[in-house]
């Protein structure tokens, strides 16, 4: 009965989200110009371009199969089999969506454009020298300034593709394979974290939604999918450490947190989610405070290595802020993007997640009023709320004006488990799939 009574409220939340997206589209197209927003189909970076492609049949098949059978399979499959199955299904979904645009435009050409990482591979012949000189090319007026995405991220992002090139996996095709394959593991990381903190029941309920996320439209077309996976595993390993597993998990978490900060400046906000994990696992932390030793030691490895090589993270960040406002951010209006970014978030997490977030808020409110909510539900709601808080801080900072459909992928993944609170999962999964298929077939997205 509770779920039946909640359904109208879910639909009210969904209606509000739809109105938010509609307002962002209408205001973006009729109040502002392209020269002001610098996006082709506000609030998304792209252009109107209905099309079909070789990935269309596969995408429809994966969507239908996951929506129809995903909840039952997730409920019955042994846990150790569910994790690789989720990874495989997430890869199938992401690959099929990317291939709607074909191999070249959908995958192999994405990271080879003039603003992307692979365009500067030849400038990294001497890695230590390039790291020492990296900050000298961040600003627009500097000699041989870095392209937008290279300048906009710490060198760990570009160095990933340099190392792939060095081991014989060069070119856009291998870069795309890397981002999709690694990025798809993010759903496994979130499942591991949810199970350890909130129990297997909720993790199983969340699994199909993590697989069939509309976010996959962008997970397969940008390096941010790879960044999202690294950040997700940093959180998952921290969860394992605070819930009584080996202290080596703490060291691994610290190592990945350090790497995350050298992949994207904005992902330092994952400290919010990490703090939530420490709070939820505070009993384990009190019992084994020694876990902070391997955690902090692991966290220091990547920063120490880059600093020793001559790269100054803090200087680079301040230069990035200056570069950011030298470019599109100096034109894009904060008054539009501070709320239109949230419309982008609706599109990447889907309407099911909007309904799930409404129920998450209900769980948190009820948890404060009485003890009718289970501890597992409360912990999952708290974790999701931490992900939402990190996203909102990023929004208010003004350092994410537009393109948040890819920039916020790492945060968006931690909103998706809210769907575990929903009834009628097949209906909601179908809504997620339809949204993703429409976005990928109607719009030509790109960076």
């Amino acid at each position: 009965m509770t779920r039946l009574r909640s359904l109208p409220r879910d639909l009210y939340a969904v209606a509000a989200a739809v109105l938010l997206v509609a307002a962002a589209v209408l205001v973006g197209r009729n109040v502002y110009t392209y020269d002001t927003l610098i996006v082709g189909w506000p609030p998304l970076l792209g252009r109107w371009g209905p099309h079909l492609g070789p990935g269309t049949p596969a995408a429809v098949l994966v969507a239908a199969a996951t929506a129809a059978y995903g909840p039952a399979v997730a409920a019955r499959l042994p846990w150790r089999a569910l994790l690789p199955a989720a990874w495989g299904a997430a890869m199938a979904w992401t690959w099929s969506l990317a291939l709607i645009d074909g191999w070249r435009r959908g995958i192999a050409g994405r990271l080879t454009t003039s603003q992307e990482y692979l365009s500067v591979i030849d400038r990294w012949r001497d890695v230590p020298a390039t790291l020492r000189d990296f900050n000298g090319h961040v600003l627009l007026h500097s000699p041989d300034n870095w392209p937008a995405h290279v300048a906009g991220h710490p060198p760990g992002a570009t160095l990933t593709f340099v190392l792939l090139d060095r081991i014989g996996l060069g070119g856009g095709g291998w870069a795309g394979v890397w981002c999709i394959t690694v990025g798809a593991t993010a759903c496994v990381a979130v499942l591991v974290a949810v199970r350890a903190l909130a129990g297997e029941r909720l993790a199983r309920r969340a699994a199909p939604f993590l697989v069939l996320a509309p976010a996959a439209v962008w997970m397969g077309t940008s390096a941010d999918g790879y960044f999202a996976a690294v950040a997700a595993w940093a959180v998952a390993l921290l969860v394992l450490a605070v819930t009584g597993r080996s202290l080596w998990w703490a060291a691994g978490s610290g190592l990945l947190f350090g790497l995350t900060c050298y992949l994207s400046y904005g992902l330092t906000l994952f400290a919010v989610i990490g703090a939530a994990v420490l709070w939820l696992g505070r009993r384990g932390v009190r019992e084994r405070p020694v876990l902070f030793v391997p955690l902090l030691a692991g966290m220091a490895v990547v920063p120490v290595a880059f600093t020793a090589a001559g790269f100054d993270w803090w200087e680079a960040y301040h230069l990035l802020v200056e570069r950011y406002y030298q470019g599109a951010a100096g034109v894009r209006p904060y008054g539009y993007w501070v709320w239109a970014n949230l419309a982008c978030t609706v599109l990447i997490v889907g309407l099911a997640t909007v309904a799930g977030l409404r129920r998450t808020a209900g769980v948190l409110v009820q948890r404060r009023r009485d003890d009718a909510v289970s501890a597992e539900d409360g912990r999952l709601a708290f974790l999701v709320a931490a992900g939402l808080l990190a996203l909102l801080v990023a929004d208010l900072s003004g350092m994410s004006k537009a393109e948040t459909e890819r920039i916020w992928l790492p945060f968006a993944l931690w909103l998706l488990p809210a769907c575990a609170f929903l009834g009628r999962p097949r209906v909601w999964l179908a809504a997620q799939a339809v949204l993703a298929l429409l976005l990928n077939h109607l719009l030509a997205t790109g960076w």
Side-chain angles (χ1 to χ4, degrees):
M1 288 297 293
T2 301
R3 284 180 177 170
L4 290 176
R5 290 196 299 270
S6 295
L7 183 58
R9 297 178 185 177
D10 294 340
L11 297 179
Y12 295 150
V14 166
V18 170
L19 289 175
L20 176 66
V21 173
V25 173
L26 293 173
V27 172
R29 293 182 65 83
N30 296 292
V31 176
Y32 297 98
T33 65
Y34 174 85
D35 292 335
T36 302
L37 298 183
I38 317 180
V39 295
W41 200 84
L44 300 177
L45 181 66
R47 57 180 174 80
W48 182 258
H51 61 287
L52 299 174
T56 297
V60 172
L61 180 61
V62 172
T66 305
Y69 302 107
V73 171
R76 298 170 185 169
L77 207 61
W79 179 255
R80 290 191 177 183
L82 177 60
L83 295 181
W87 180 28
M91 278 202 292
W93 179 231
T94 307
W95 272 104
S96 60
L97 288 173
L99 287 172
I100 289 170
D101 294 327
W103 169 256
R104 182 64 199 167
R105 197 169 75 84
I107 297 173
R110 290 289 186 174
L111 297 175
T112 62
T113 62
S114 60
Q115 299 301 319
E116 284 284 4
Y117 307 99
L118 269 64
S119 65
V120 300
I121 294 294
D122 291 342
R123 293 174 59 180
W124 286 74
R125 292 188 180 90
D126 186 337
V127 171
T130 306
L131 287 174
R132 288 193 299 271
D133 196 38
F134 187 89
N135 290 351
H137 303 284
V138 172
L139 298 178
L140 273 178
H141 56 68
S142 60
D144 297 322
N145 63 80
W146 296 118
H149 284 195
V150 178
H153 294 81
T158 308
L159 191 56
T160 298
F161 300 104
V162 171
L163 295 177
L164 285 175
D165 183 76
R166 294 287 174 85
I167 64 173
L169 302 180
W174 283 113
V177 170
W178 169 266
C179 290
I180 292 174
T181 304
V182 175
T185 69
C187 78
V188 179
V190 177
L191 286 176
V192 168
V194 171
R195 179 178 184 254
L197 276 179
E200 193 169 310
R201 176 184 63 87
L202 289 171
R204 288 179 178 277
R205 291 182 62 84
F209 293 95
L210 284 159
V211 167
L212 208 60
V217 172
W218 293 276
M219 290 284 284
T221 62
S222 72
D224 294 82
Y226 153 52
F227 305 159
V230 175
W233 280 109
V235 174
L237 297 187
L238 181 61
V239 169
L240 293 179
V242 302
T243 53
R245 275 68 166 188
S246 168
L247 293 179
W248 285 107
W249 294 124
S253 173
L255 182 65
L256 292 181
F257 267 121
L259 176 58
T260 296
C261 295
Y262 280 75
L263 293 174
S264 174
Y265 297 104
L267 295 188
T268 54
L269 287 173
F270 259 73
V272 174
I273 302 176
V277 169
L278 292 175
W279 173 256
L280 290 171
R282 57 191 180 280
R283 177 178 298 178
V285 173
R286 286 196 298 266
E287 292 174 353
R288 295 194 307 167
V290 70
L291 69 82
F292 282 105
V293 175
L295 176 66
L296 295 175
M299 201 176 295
V301 171
V302 173
V304 167
F306 274 93
T307 302
F311 171 71
D312 188 328
W313 191 97
W314 282 107
E315 179 189 49
Y317 174 72
H318 291 297
L319 290 171
L320 162 66
V321 174
E322 186 176 347
R323 165 73 181 261
Y324 187 56
Y325 284 95
Q326 287 177 335
V331 178
R332 287 170 171 161
Y334 180 85
Y336 172 77
W337 287 111
V338 74
W339 60 273
N341 283 338
L342 301 180
C344 289
T345 304
V346 171
L347 294 174
I348 62 176
V349 302
L351 298 178
T353 306
V354 172
L357 289 174
R358 189 211 66 78
R359 295 203 180 199
T360 297
V363 169
L364 291 173
V365 170
Q366 191 174 357
R367 182 78 173 161
R368 289 180 61 86
R369 290 177 178 172
D370 53 53
D371 294 327
V373 175
S374 70
E376 290 80 7
D377 285 2
R379 286 195 288 270
L380 178 59
F382 191 85
L383 181 65
V384 170
L388 181 60
L389 176 61
L391 185 148
L392 292 175
V393 172
D395 187 32
L396 295 173
S397 74
M399 288 298 291
S400 300
K401 291 193 284 187
E403 303 181 48
T404 50
E405 63 267 27
R406 73 169 171 82
I407 297 172
W408 287 356
L409 285 173
F411 304 117
L413 290 176
W414 294 93
L415 306 185
L416 296 171
C419 296
F421 294 129
L422 296 174
R424 307 186 183 210
R426 291 180 178 84
V427 175
W428 289 112
L429 283 166
Q432 298 287 83
V434 168
L435 175 60
L437 291 170
L438 286 175
L439 287 169
N440 217 139
H441 283 94
L442 296 179
L443 298 178
T445 58
W447 314 109

